[in-house]
Amino acid sequence: MAATAPPSPPSNITCVKKLSESPNLNSIPSNYAYFTNPTETIASDSDDLIPTIDLSLLTSDNPDQRSKAIQDLDKACQEWGFFMVVNHGIPETLMKNMLEVTNEFFNLPEEEKPEFQPKKVLDPIRYGTSFNTAKEKIFCWRDFLKLFVHPQFHCPHKPDSFRDLLLEYCERSREVVRKLLKGISESLGLEESEMDKALDLGSSFQLFVANFYPRCPNPDVALGMPPHSDHTLLTLLIENEVGGLQIQHKGRWVNVNALPNSILVNSGDQLEIFSNGKYKSVLHRAVVNNKKTRISIAMANGPSLDTVVSPASQLVQTKGCVASYVPMKYKDYLLSQQSNQLNGKSMLEQVQIHD
């Protein structure tokens, strides 16, 4: 039986933007303290270079260039579950304008925001704080805006320029995802269009997630987002030149230092399921700082909500192996993940078949 959406978390919890602007705030409240040991937020720059995918080569008419790009994509998905995309075709001005209008939204007067607070966790417009305050004991140092933008498009009516900018950015980001997933389909040994057909990507679910991480007086004990994997196939992320994303690679946390005008991409749980575990979803987290507000925009891209996602039949049949994941409708997966607190890859573990 399909799950039904539970009520939204209570709205009486102060957003961290307002909390961070409190006079004489020298330390955070105890219910924002994730760590007792300040060294737990420390990460290093990776000894290995984070993979970079040149999208212009992946879509090149030159078969050698395209073949090399597909090999690079395969290696990035297998070894990292994360990569940076350059030459992606999204204008730098559009990316900057999106970050600016997102900042404008979070800076609207607080009395104008309650109309965007949801009644249910899958309402198409959701403004809130932390991740799911109804389930959490320790809160994230983060405010958010989540919007369903495909196949139906939803957007707040303010700021005035938000709708037009968001519509264009969503369309262009879906085009990037479409090109990447074609390459990934081939890197799995499938036809270029196989993932598109199997997961009904013409009606793909796309979720816009804006994250606002204000300055934090105790960045060594707070977290913007705890370690988690995404419910998606691929998540695209841009940020306002203030770093804070960390990914887990070879068992340790690594800082992500984005190349100028690049898009950060991480593989999600649905890609791990579809690839039957060949491409693992990446654990990542967001750390905060005491100097500047960080804003990031994540575009979460999944199958259609009604698609029952399972390992690709060709991968299971032709490789002579068994499916490692139980089929599950994507909408049910999404609802279950969004209705609980974030905890590593706990949602994915529920559909894994263990020997």
Side-chain angles (χ1 to χ4, degrees):
M1 181 183 293
T4 55
S8 176
S11 59
N12 57 355
I13 294 172
T14 306
C15 68
V16 287
K17 180 180 181 294
K18 186 175 180 181
L19 183 61
S20 71
E21 293 167 352
S22 305
N24 306 314
L25 182 70
N26 298 316
S27 62
I28 59 174
S30 59
N31 56 349
Y32 287 91
Y34 254 91
F35 302 118
T36 52
N37 180 357
T39 62
E40 291 181 80
T41 58
I42 293 174
S44 58
D45 293 331
S46 176
D47 297 331
D48 307 317
L49 282 177
I50 292 175
T52 300
I53 302 297
D54 187 328
L55 198 63
S56 67
L57 300 183
L58 189 64
T59 55
S60 171
D61 293 331
N62 181 317
D64 292 336
Q65 286 185 338
R66 189 163 187 277
S67 176
K68 172 68 165 55
I70 289 173
Q71 288 175 25
D72 291 345
L73 198 52
D74 177 62
K75 188 176 182 184
C77 289
Q78 279 200 74
E79 296 181 3
W80 287 80
F82 187 89
F83 49 91
M84 292 187 260
V85 177
V86 296
N87 295 323
H88 43 70
I90 299 180
E92 186 174 3
T93 51
L94 177 59
M95 294 162 66
K96 286 185 174 176
N97 288 340
M98 272 307 310
L99 288 162
E100 286 173 7
V101 78
T102 297
N103 186 45
E104 285 178 40
F105 174 85
F106 285 112
N107 280 289
L108 288 172
E110 285 307 309
E111 59 269 19
E112 295 183 29
K113 293 177 185 172
E115 65 179 291
F116 306 121
Q117 290 174 340
K119 295 178 175 61
K120 296 181 179 178
V121 295
L122 288 192
D123 279 357
I125 297 179
R126 284 179 288 159
Y127 163 72
T129 192
S130 193
F131 178 77
N132 186 346
T133 53
K135 298 284 185 177
E136 296 162 328
K137 292 184 174 65
I138 304 295
F139 300 144
C140 310
W141 194 259
R142 166 226 194 199
D143 295 331
F144 66 80
L145 175 66
K146 297 183 181 182
L147 308 172
F148 289 11
V149 290
H150 193 262
Q152 286 83 37
F153 180 79
H154 301 269
C155 182
H157 57 86
K158 50 191 167 187
D160 293 341
S161 58
F162 204 168
R163 184 179 183 86
D164 289 345
L165 285 169
L166 180 60
L167 194 56
E168 182 182 359
Y169 184 70
C170 291
E171 289 172 352
R172 286 181 176 267
S173 62
R174 281 197 303 277
E175 183 65 17
V176 171
V177 169
R178 189 183 66 82
K179 292 172 181 176
L180 288 171
L181 289 179
K182 280 185 174 182
I184 288 173
S185 195
E186 286 194 64
S187 73
L188 287 168
L190 307 173
E191 291 292 326
E192 176 186 85
S193 61
E194 185 56 39
M195 195 179 296
D196 193 331
K197 289 186 290 189
L199 302 177
D200 190 18
L201 296 184
S203 299
S204 64
F205 177 70
Q206 187 180 42
L207 177 69
F208 166 92
V209 183
N211 302 299
F212 187 93
Y213 306 104
R215 292 171 53 206
C216 177
N218 307 107
D220 52 350
V221 295
L223 267 183
M225 286 287 276
H228 67 284
S229 61
D230 289 346
H231 55 78
T232 58
L233 289 163
L234 294 177
T235 302
L236 276 56
L237 186 114
I238 60 174
E239 57 188 13
N240 65 335
E241 299 179 353
V242 179
L245 178 63
Q246 296 177 348
I247 58 173
Q248 198 169 85
H249 180 60
K250 296 181 178 177
R252 64 191 183 101
W253 289 105
V254 173
N255 293 313
V256 175
N257 301 307
L259 294 171
N261 198 33
S262 65
I263 295 176
L264 307 175
V265 180
N266 66 268
S267 55
D269 293 348
Q270 303 308 307
L271 184 58
E272 178 168 336
I273 294 166
F274 184 80
S275 68
N276 204 33
K278 181 180 181 183
Y279 296 159
K280 299 287 193 287
S281 57
V282 67
L283 271 178
H284 54 289
R285 67 185 186 183
V287 296
V288 292
N289 73 83
N290 59 5
K291 296 181 177 63
K292 289 184 176 179
T293 293
R294 176 174 180 253
I295 296 173
S296 68
I297 295 174
M299 299 299 299
N301 300 271
S304 77
L305 286 173
D306 290 328
T307 296
V308 177
V309 182
S310 61
S313 57
Q314 299 93 319
L315 296 182
V316 177
Q317 292 163 1
T318 58
K319 306 281 171 144
C321 59
V322 295
S324 299
Y325 304 84
V326 176
M328 187 173 189
K329 185 184 283 191
Y330 178 47
K331 183 177 183 179
D332 294 340
Y333 191 102
L334 173 68
L335 178 60
S336 183
Q337 194 237 31
Q338 296 285 301
S339 301
N340 291 288
Q341 59 182 342
L342 284 182
N343 180 20
K345 298 178 78 165
S346 58
M347 184 61 218
L348 187 69
E349 288 161 4
Q350 291 181 37
V351 298
Q352 280 184 303
I353 300 171
H354 300 284
D355 297 332

